[in-house]
């Protein structure tokens, strides 16, 4: 009995050529395709041996392999549709780029380039020099350097200027970002000693002054990106900290978190401090992320006084956190857009999504709604609240609109959409599945609708 069943197990060669499997094998590598087939045969063999099954059909094995292929195809990095309304979604890759930037990157990626070659002089060049020039043009800073991410930027600065020495930070600013970046931990790694001053809610410039001694090197300010201390609060201003550092021959430094260049109050959004304000305040060094509000790629951007940036450029540690050509190309493109700030809010997707009116979102909702209606998919347009995310402006909700799907429980649809060939990630509210159109791009709408149609059809919902 067992023997007969084992004999019935199809061969790998045979399964490899089953039409319905060949159709989807492109979604994964050939190696993984074979592995899925082998794993499936193995599973059935085990089930037979342990008498878990008394019989099976070819179709069952093929379906099992299909599921394995689908699962495998979702493990590698793929495009997903962000229907959550969270603009800088850290799990979904934070900021996205415009098609223009995409085209430029495509060319850089598929050809050689002048990353470290000075074309004008025909000799070795510097990978950072043009990017640095652009950063200075946009920000008015004295000198700049770009590293792998903001956490690395902070670490590099602390290591260069305060290794074995002391850094003073307010107790209200000892932040943890995304569960893995903790200011106190970063300080420990850098070799610097953290000296906390003030209370959680109130810190005055005198508190910093009191703790300065011959071991102090840096007075540091950290932007509390992902939380707000409310009520009776006080913090020493950037200007006060910069001045005190100057008077005492120390370095003032600010970890700005989300590098913001835009005055958002124009758009009825709570104002987030800008990079310009920090530079004007007289801070010696500021650092921020490249892929939060700035809207570029993962990077840590350091702007500061030339004498300090020159020292950072010589730090041996820099080599371990340097950026690659992709990052150089993306950041150059994004900084070029920032040369014209009115363009930036239109051309940088992150900023466009933050500053567009809710009527524009409603427009996208209507386009989607029309297509869904043609497919006879029950839904309605509802008001939603999007948010900025990425630890930026934690309390800021942005008025938005979304599509609420009427059929089926929210949790059922959520899973079907998420596991679809084109993953569509949405939210569940009041047991209904919702796609927030704030974060769905206009040119994806048709594709999303077609996929929704396929999902409904497959499940016999229409
Ligand atoms: C996000 C953030 C960081 C970490 O930046 P990464 O670019 O993600 O490394 C550090 N400090 C603050 C204040 C932040 O908001």
């Amino acid at each position: 009995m067992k023997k007969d069943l084992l004999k019935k197990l199809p061969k790998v060669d045979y399964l490899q050529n089953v039409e319905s499997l060949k159709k989807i094998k492109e979604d994964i590598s050939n190696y993984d395709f074979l592995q899925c087939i082998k794993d499936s045969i193995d599973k059935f063999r085990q089930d037979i041996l342990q008498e878990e099954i008394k019989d099976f059909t070819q179709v069952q094995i093929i379906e099992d392999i299909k599921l394995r292929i689908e699962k495998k195809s979702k493990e590698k990095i793929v495009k997903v549709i962000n229907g959550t309304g969270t603009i800088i979604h850290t799990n979904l890759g934070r900021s996205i780029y415009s098609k223009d930037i995409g085209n430029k990157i495509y060319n850089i990626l598929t050809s050689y380039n002048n990353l470290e070659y000075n074309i004008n002089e025909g000799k070795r060049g510097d990978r950072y020099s043009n990017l640095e020039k652009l950063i200075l043009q946009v920000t008015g800073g004295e000198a700049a350097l770009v590293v792998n991410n903001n956490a690395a930027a902070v670490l590099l600065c602390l290591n260069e200027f305060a290794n074995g020495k002391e850094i003073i930070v307010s107790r209200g600013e000892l932040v943890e970002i995304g569960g893995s970046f903790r200011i106190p931990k970063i300080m420990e790694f850098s070799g610097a000693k953290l000296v906390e001053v003030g209370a959680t809610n109130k810190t005055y410039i005198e508190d910093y002054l009191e703790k300065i001694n011959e071991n102090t090197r840096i007075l540091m300010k950290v932007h509390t990106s992902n939380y707000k201390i409310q009520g009776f609060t006080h913090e020493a201003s950037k200007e006060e900290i910069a001045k005190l550092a100057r008077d005492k021959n120390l370095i003032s430094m600010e970890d700005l978190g989300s590098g913001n260049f835009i005055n958002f109050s124009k758009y009825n959004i709570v104002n987030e401090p800008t990079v310009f304000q920090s530079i004007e305040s007289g801070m010696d060094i500021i650092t921020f992320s490249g892929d939060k509000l700035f809207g570029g790629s993962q990077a840590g951007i350091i702007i500061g006084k030339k004498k300090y940036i020159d020292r950072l450029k010589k730090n041996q540690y820099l080599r371990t956190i340097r950026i690659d050509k992709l990052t150089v190309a993306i950041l150059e493109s994004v900084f070029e857009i920032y040369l014209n700030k009115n363009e930036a809010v239109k051309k940088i997707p992150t900023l466009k999504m933050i500053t567009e009116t809710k009527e524009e979102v409603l427009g996208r909702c209507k386009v989607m709604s029309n297509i869904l209606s043609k497919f006879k998919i029950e839904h309605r347009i509802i008001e939603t609240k999007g948010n900025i995310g990425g630890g930026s402006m934690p309390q800021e909700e942005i008025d938005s609109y979304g599509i609420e799907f009427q059929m089926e429980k929210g949790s059922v649809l959520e899973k079907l959409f998420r596991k679809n060939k084109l993953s569509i990630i949405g939210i569940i509210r009041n047991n209904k599945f919702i796609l927030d159109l704030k974060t769905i791009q206009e040119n994806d709408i048709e594709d999303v609708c077609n996929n929704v149609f396929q999902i409904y059809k497959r499940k016999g919902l229409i």
Side-chain angles (χ1 to χ4, degrees):
M1 169 77 178
K2 266 191 204 172
K3 243 187 187 165
D4 290 342
L5 272 182
L6 287 172
K7 260 197 203 145
K8 219 176 104 181
L9 280 171
K11 296 268 178 303
V12 176
D13 282 353
Y14 166 77
L15 287 168
Q16 243 180 309
N17 289 306
V18 169
E19 276 311 314
S20 64
L21 291 181
K22 270 162 82 178
K23 253 206 245 159
I24 55 170
K25 87 178 250 207
E26 296 304 321
D27 296 344
I28 55 174
S29 69
N30 204 38
Y31 179 89
D32 283 341
F33 179 58
L34 285 178
Q35 202 57 50
C36 287
I37 293 175
K38 285 180 194 158
D39 288 349
S40 189
I41 296 174
D42 261 1
K43 180 194 172 283
F44 277 86
R45 182 178 294 120
Q46 289 307 320
D47 285 354
I48 294 167
L49 290 174
Q50 281 157 25
E51 289 172 16
E52 301 265 349
I53 49 171
K54 301 223 157 16
D55 199 4
F56 66 90
T57 62
Q58 299 280 54
V59 175
Q60 278 174 319
I61 296 199
I62 292 170
E63 284 307 310
D64 181 72
I65 298 171
K66 273 189 194 166
L67 283 178
R68 287 170 195 270
I69 294 175
E70 262 173 40
K71 198 157 171 244
K72 202 80 211 156
S73 73
K74 300 281 182 232
E75 287 169 6
K76 62 181 180 186
I77 189 158
V78 290
K79 168 176 179 168
V80 308
I81 299 295
N82 176 5
T84 65
T86 298
I87 297 170
I88 306 171
H89 199 304
T90 296
N91 297 159
L92 303 182
R94 286 195 183 161
S95 289
I96 61 173
Y97 314 125
S98 64
K99 289 270 185 287
D100 283 354
I101 292 184
N103 290 338
K104 179 177 166 178
I105 305 306
Y106 177 81
N107 277 327
I108 301 284
L109 279 180
T110 52
S111 13
Y112 288 102
N113 57 70
N114 59 338
L115 182 66
E116 287 193 355
Y117 182 65
N118 183 327
I119 298 176
N120 287 322
E121 294 176 17
K123 59 182 189 193
R124 192 175 203 284
D126 176 85
R127 75 170 55 209
Y128 302 103
S129 62
N130 186 56
L131 180 54
E132 179 177 14
K133 261 183 239 151
L134 266 171
I135 296 175
L136 303 185
Q137 270 175 36
V138 172
T139 63
E142 246 184 63
L145 181 63
V146 183
V147 296
N148 182 59
N149 60 5
N150 188 30
V154 172
L155 188 54
L156 179 71
C157 295
L158 301 188
N159 174 267
E160 175 61 37
F161 302 115
N163 194 357
K165 304 291 177 186
E166 293 177 6
I167 304 168
I168 304 182
V169 187
S170 159
R171 285 205 170 85
E173 299 175 359
L174 296 172
V175 305
E176 172 181 304
I177 311 279
S180 57
F181 177 89
R182 277 189 172 175
I183 283 288
K185 274 277 169 241
I186 292 283
M187 299 210 169
E188 213 179 291
F189 284 131
S190 74
K193 180 169 176 257
L194 167 68
V195 176
E196 301 173 27
V197 296
T200 306
N201 61 334
K202 291 193 182 195
T203 304
Y204 298 89
I205 193 67
E206 292 77 18
D207 296 324
Y208 292 79
L209 178 63
E210 207 171 87
K211 285 280 157 61
I212 293 175
N213 63 44
E214 70 281 2
N215 284 323
T216 312
R217 288 294 177 275
I218 296 179
L219 305 186
M220 184 170 180
K221 190 159 181 65
V222 184
H223 181 48
T224 55
S225 306
N226 56 0
Y227 66 96
K228 275 250 155 356
I229 294 177
Q230 284 182 325
F232 295 96
T233 65
H234 184 85
E235 57 181 310
S237 71
K238 302 167 204 256
E239 287 78 7
E240 286 174 315
I241 291 176
K243 181 173 184 307
L244 179 61
R246 263 195 312 278
D247 291 349
K248 297 285 175 190
N249 232 344
L250 304 171
I251 295 173
S252 56
M253 169 176 166
E254 183 175 24
D255 171 9
L256 253 181
S258 218
N260 171 37
F261 289 73
I262 305 296
N263 179 356
F264 282 110
S265 57
K266 266 202 281 193
Y267 302 96
N268 287 328
I269 296 168
V270 169
N271 221 1
E272 172 86 1
T274 64
V275 170
F276 304 111
Q277 288 167 344
S278 293
I279 294 175
E280 276 160 29
S281 73
M283 280 278 168
D284 292 317
I285 299 168
I286 64 169
T287 74
F288 59 89
S289 282
D291 56 355
K292 292 186 185 168
L293 276 177
F294 177 70
S297 60
Q298 178 188 303
I301 300 168
I302 310 172
I303 302 176
K305 302 276 158 61
K306 185 164 183 312
K307 63 176 173 182
Y308 297 128
I309 299 290
D310 282 346
R311 275 179 63 185
L312 293 177
K313 284 178 180 170
K314 288 194 201 100
N315 187 308
Q316 282 300 307
Y317 188 52
L318 178 62
R319 178 63 187 240
T320 64
I321 51 172
R322 76 172 183 186
I323 50 172
D324 79 331
K325 58 190 173 188
L326 240 166
T327 306
V328 174
I330 294 167
L331 290 181
E332 276 194 14
S333 303
V334 179
F335 270 109
E336 261 167 21
I337 298 173
Y338 272 108
L339 287 171
N340 179 342
K341 274 206 238 77
N342 293 328
E343 289 276 282
V345 290
K346 293 195 199 100
K347 284 193 171 168
I348 295 172
T350 300
L351 298 180
K352 187 163 179 277
M353 285 185 264
I354 294 174
T355 59
E356 73 179 346
T357 62
K358 64 175 185 174
E359 284 72 30
E360 286 173 82
V361 187
L362 183 58
R364 286 203 291 283
C365 265
K366 285 178 177 164
V367 173
M368 184 155 173
S369 171
N370 280 337
I371 307 177
L372 292 175
S373 297
K374 273 190 214 132
F375 288 146
K376 305 227 164 6
I377 291 170
E378 269 183 58
H379 68 280
R380 63 184 184 121
I381 294 176
I382 55 161
E383 288 191 355
T384 56
K385 294 279 181 205
N387 58 78
I388 294 175
S392 309
M393 302 189 231
Q395 292 153 320
E396 198 60 31
E397 288 190 325
I398 305 179
D399 290 335
S400 176
Y401 286 96
I403 299 278
E404 183 188 84
F405 292 87
Q406 304 297 356
M407 286 179 261
E408 280 294 333
K409 281 211 316 236
S411 56
V412 174
L413 283 184
E414 189 277 333
K415 198 167 157 196
L416 288 170
F417 278 51
R418 170 163 49 84
K419 294 194 162 187
N420 184 49
K421 188 163 159 64
L422 171 67
S423 281
I424 305 169
I425 316 289
I427 40 182
I428 298 172
R429 209 172 68 192
N430 300 329
N431 229 339
K432 289 272 188 273
F433 184 66
I434 298 165
L435 290 179
D436 193 319
L437 268 283
K438 177 101 236 162
T439 43
I440 296 185
Q441 312 303 303
E442 179 130 41
N443 53 11
D444 279 330
I445 291 178
E446 210 179 309
D447 208 13
V448 170
C449 291
N450 285 329
N451 273 275
V452 173
F453 178 62
Q454 293 301 333
I455 293 169
Y456 272 62
K457 218 170 73 177
R458 251 197 332 272
K459 289 288 152 190
L461 296 170
I462 43 172

